[in-house]
Amino acid sequence: MTSNLLIHHAEILLSNGDIFLGDLLIKDGKIAEIGTELTADSATIIDATGLTLLPGVIDPQVHFREPGLTHKEDLFTASCACAKGGVTSFLEMPNTIPLTTTQAILDDKLHRASQKCLVNYGFFMGATAENLDDLRNANPACGIKIFMGSNHGALLVSTEAEIEPIFAKGSRLIAVHAEDQARIIERKKLFKDNTNPAIHSVIQDEEAALNATKLAVKLANKYQRRLHILHLSTGIEAEYLRENKTPWISTEVTPQHLLLNTNDYQRIGTLAQMNPPLRSPENNEILWKALLDGVIDCIATDHAPHTLEEKAKPYPHSPSGMPGVETSLPLMLTEYKKGRCTLAQVVTWMCTNPAKLYQIQNKGEIKIGYDADLILVDLNNYQPVLKENLATKCGWSPFEGWNLTGWPIYTIVNGDIVLEKGKLNTNIRGKALTFSQMNIKDS
Ligand code: DOR
């Protein structure tokens, strides 16, 4: 760990949403003091004049490809991308090879992350039709992931008969990829000779998403089970949740479902292909409204890198997914600068609420005693997304060329400077996240 760190003259976003122009002292990896004219012996000093100090982003849905798919990304490259994007903690999905479906495989991922990750990490345990005991006992896992739709081998758990026992037993958080696989299979037959990537949004249509969301909500309400609906993509799901969401249900949206839509297939072809698919522009508007109203609780990127070579295959052989951890914060801060939301809302959606929803303690806010996962961003310097600046191994972004502001100048993880003015300190390692009892205790 670096010595104590003193950040001078920053615009600090406090946990009550106020901006305070002052100093922040970090001791032993924790936020120790916030004030003016602070001093500290032997502290490293950062002059943050003109910069804004925010809590580090917690990205609650990423696919980092290690083990098994490391030609696309690995935990080192992905965590470098996180540090550049201001993401100080991530929760990673189980569709790696082998699938994360047993304690031994989860332990292997945690070990790999301890060796390679510049930022803090947590992992999901994947549900299959057969691993109920592994799901109930897995520790520490941030939650159970169910792929109700989308093809990831044994991770596909798509029928009510298979899904219900997972909701019925245990109390750990369940996160669902909500798409109706039976409907998708039928619709694929209708369009099987169509190689236009835009047909992806027609095949995996809005109704496929709504059907699965309704089933997950029904089961969560039947068993009062903690449910998180991943990457909400449609206005009809948002409106359904507005009426039917209960206190134990939460949901998220990705920046791409807020900012991209079916018109983008023309611009970037299969690079716009993801699951659940991009929707029409009207959906962007309804999702924004649901986010602003609090129907949607948080933002996740669903960072899902594939190589350009893989993406160049003709549809439907092109894989679904796009990278996101490096651009999510500047995208949202640029929306703030446009007046679409407040700075405090961006922080609530990207830092505070992910910590609350997954019961990650002492993170997501700038508060005395909290972990010093912090970022200093420049809200007044617009820079384009350039592929040569990206740290993700896949080397592309659906937002290439977009002129964004709020890029992190410093990223600090547990009190260590991981990013300083564009330069990564690759010697730093993050820590395994811990989740409070209510999330991990099984009945
Ligand atoms: O488009 C997607 N790709 N959506 C997912 O949920 C999974 C992901 C992947 O792993 O490639």
Side-chain angles (χ1 to χ4, degrees):
M1 184 170 301
T2 43
S3 59
N4 298 334
L5 205 57
L6 182 53
I7 301 171
H8 261 161
H9 304 134
E11 296 197 358
I12 305 172
L13 187 92
L14 300 175
S15 53
N16 65 4
D18 287 350
I19 294 275
F20 172 76
L21 182 59
D23 309 338
L24 183 144
L25 177 65
I26 298 168
K27 276 190 181 166
D28 302 323
K30 308 264 180 212
I31 301 171
E33 242 182 291
I34 300 169
T36 46
E37 308 301 324
L38 295 184
T39 56
D41 290 339
S42 69
T44 303
I45 294 179
I46 295 177
D47 177 9
T49 306
L51 301 180
T52 303
L53 187 67
L54 306 176
V57 171
I58 301 172
D59 190 334
Q61 194 199 166
V62 299
H63 303 264
F64 281 173
R65 311 304 192 201
E66 180 169 351
L69 295 160
T70 52
H71 65 287
K72 298 175 196 273
E73 189 79 282
D74 61 54
L75 287 167
F76 175 74
T77 55
S79 68
C80 288
C82 284
K84 291 191 84 171
V87 175
T88 52
S89 299
F90 65 79
L91 303 180
E92 205 258 357
M93 287 295 163
N95 56 329
T96 34
I97 300 175
L99 305 171
T100 319
T101 53
T102 68
Q103 184 68 46
I105 299 170
L106 182 72
D107 288 344
D108 174 60
K109 264 194 175 175
L110 285 159
H111 177 68
R112 286 168 181 270
S114 72
Q115 302 295 301
K116 294 179 134 187
C117 273
L118 278 63
V119 302
N120 304 315
Y121 45 87
F123 296 98
F124 280 89
M125 187 73 144
T128 70
E130 273 141 27
N131 71 341
L132 263 185
D133 286 341
D134 297 278
L135 296 180
R136 296 186 67 204
N137 299 323
N139 201 7
C142 52
I144 293 168
K145 166 72 180 278
I146 305 180
F147 280 96
M148 298 172 76
S150 243
N151 226 341
H152 299 288
L155 287 183
L156 181 65
V157 186
S158 60
T159 64
E160 186 166 352
E162 288 171 331
I163 298 167
E164 182 155 2
I166 305 170
F167 277 83
K169 282 229 176 261
S171 57
R172 191 184 299 264
L173 179 149
I174 295 175
V176 293
H177 177 127
E179 286 190 277
D180 174 350
Q181 187 68 6
R183 181 175 171 88
I184 291 172
I185 290 171
E186 284 312 308
R187 291 180 66 74
K188 272 191 177 154
K189 290 180 197 157
L190 298 177
F191 300 99
K192 73 176 168 21
D193 295 322
N194 198 322
T195 57
N196 179 351
I199 208 69
H200 189 63
S201 297
V202 179
I203 295 171
Q204 298 190 200
D205 66 352
E206 295 181 27
E207 197 172 326
L210 180 65
N211 290 349
T213 287
K214 280 185 172 171
L215 174 57
V217 167
K218 181 178 99 176
L219 293 173
N221 285 341
K222 180 167 177 187
Y223 296 102
Q224 299 210 351
R225 184 69 185 259
R226 178 77 184 86
L227 168 68
H228 184 73
I229 300 165
L230 299 158
H231 42 38
L232 205 75
S233 63
T234 69
I236 46 172
E237 286 167 287
E239 291 313 315
Y240 175 76
L241 289 176
R242 190 183 290 281
E243 300 303 321
N244 294 281
K245 205 168 156 233
T246 44
W248 48 90
I249 297 176
S250 57
T251 188
E252 67 185 29
V253 66
T254 68
Q256 54 271 34
H257 286 113
L258 291 171
L259 299 168
L260 302 181
N261 53 56
T262 43
N263 295 336
D264 288 286
Y265 287 114
Q266 234 178 359
R267 180 177 63 91
I268 52 173
T270 56
L271 300 187
Q273 180 192 332
M274 71 168 295
N275 297 330
L278 298 179
R279 309 296 184 187
S280 65
E282 301 81 69
N283 285 280
N284 297 141
E285 296 313 310
I286 305 173
L287 291 170
W288 264 109
K289 183 174 181 327
L291 182 63
L292 289 161
D293 292 348
V295 174
I296 297 174
D297 303 272
C298 71
I299 288 176
T301 63
D302 192 21
H303 179 91
H306 298 283
T307 65
L308 280 171
E309 202 184 343
E310 291 164 334
K311 279 291 203 181
K313 291 180 187 166
Y315 186 85
H317 305 292
S318 45
S320 294
M322 52 180 79
V325 291
E326 256 160 304
T327 46
S328 56
L329 180 72
L331 283 165
M332 293 307 296
L333 291 178
T334 303
E335 293 303 304
Y336 150 64
K337 290 289 279 191
K338 285 184 197 162
R340 198 145 203 194
C341 56
T342 67
L343 183 60
Q345 280 172 318
V346 173
V347 167
T348 300
W349 300 329
M350 301 190 79
C351 315
T352 317
N353 280 357
K356 283 189 182 154
L357 295 172
Y358 284 91
Q359 306 212 3
I360 306 168
Q361 285 169 342
N362 297 329
K363 292 196 186 290
E365 289 174 65
I366 298 186
K367 258 189 188 170
I368 307 289
Y370 269 44
D371 296 338
D373 292 344
L374 298 164
I375 50 180
L376 279 162
V377 301
D378 187 343
L379 288 169
N380 297 309
N381 184 7
Y382 284 77
Q383 296 290 334
V385 178
L386 297 174
K387 63 172 180 289
E388 52 270 32
N389 290 344
L390 297 172
T392 174
K393 199 184 273 189
C394 75
W396 61 274
S397 163
F399 302 103
E400 239 171 279
W402 287 36
N403 207 27
L404 305 179
T405 193
W407 293 96
I409 309 299
Y410 284 85
T411 299
I412 297 164
V413 178
N414 304 310
D416 287 319
I417 300 173
V418 177
L419 177 81
E420 181 169 12
K421 299 179 186 164
K423 205 171 164 331
L424 289 166
N425 179 352
T426 56
N427 296 319
I428 304 295
R429 292 293 170 267
K431 291 183 184 166
L433 295 169
T434 53
F435 308 96
S436 79
Q437 277 310 98
M438 263 180 68
N439 187 23
I440 63 170
K441 202 175 111 262
D442 268 323
S443 55

